[in-house]
Amino acid sequence: MQIDTKESGPVEVAETDLIRFPQGLYGFETHRLFALLKDRRNPQNPFMWLQSAIDRGACFAVLDAASLFRDYCPPVSARAGAALSLGVGESPRYLVIASLPQAGGRLFLNLKCPVAVNPAARLGVQIILEDDRYPMRYYLPAREGV
């Protein structure tokens, strides 16, 4: 299946690589099918694109939470677990949405509303965590020399 992407133009994606979001994402409830795309120009880039299969404008920069936070493992509600078809003792893969609010602004991650994905079932849901440990705006530490 070919999808039109915001960052790379038309891209061929196998239908088996698409992730279904039964409820969509917050603010994008009608978008139910997404592809998780790596940066083709820089394979070492940890950022990926969560790209709608039907709307090139619905594209989100995401990071795998496990790549930054070893202990990021928020609880999954029974409802979210059912939507993801998680088995007993299974945990989802968490993607966190990255935002750069303005030119020259600081990049931040939304740890409060991760996208939970069951890679085996190719299902995803976005959840809002009640736990105050997870901020809506987690600013990445500045790197030296940047």
Side-chain angles (χ1 to χ4, degrees), residues 2 52 82 108 118 130:
Q2 191 174 58
S52 168
F108 66 87
N118 178 342
E130 301 295 326

Side-chain angles (χ1 to χ4, degrees), residues 63-86:
L63 278 171
D64 189 327
S67 71
L68 288 176
F69 309 103
R70 213 180 32 194
D71 59 346
Y72 186 85
C73 191
V76 178
S77 70
R79 183 176 173 206
L84 290 169
S85 294
L86 290 175

Side-chain angles (χ1 to χ4, degrees), residues 52-117:
S52 168
I54 60 166
D55 178 1
R56 72 185 307 261
C59 181
F60 307 92
V62 296
L63 278 171
D64 189 327
S67 71
L68 288 176
F69 309 103
R70 213 180 32 194
D71 59 346
Y72 186 85
C73 191
V76 178
S77 70
R79 183 176 173 206
L84 290 169
S85 294
L86 290 175
V88 175
E90 286 185 312
S91 295
R93 176 182 185 188
Y94 287 106
L95 304 173
V96 291
I97 297 175
S99 296
L100 185 61
Q102 299 174 25
R106 287 184 59 201
L107 178 76
F108 66 87
L109 306 175
N110 182 341
L111 302 183
K112 187 97 171 151
C113 306
V115 175
V117 175

Side-chain angles (χ1 to χ4, degrees), residues 9-49:
V11 173
E12 192 65 34
V13 177
E15 292 211 27
T16 55
D17 288 338
L18 295 173
I19 303 168
R20 296 198 182 281
F21 287 80
Q23 294 95 25
L25 298 174
Y26 292 106
F28 297 86
E29 289 80 4
T30 60
H31 297 74
R32 306 284 173 96
L33 200 56
F34 285 83
L36 185 60
L37 306 171
K38 292 189 177 208
D39 184 345
R40 296 188 302 172
R41 295 173 297 207
N42 181 3
Q44 303 304 320
N45 185 352
F47 288 92
M48 298 171 281
W49 301 106

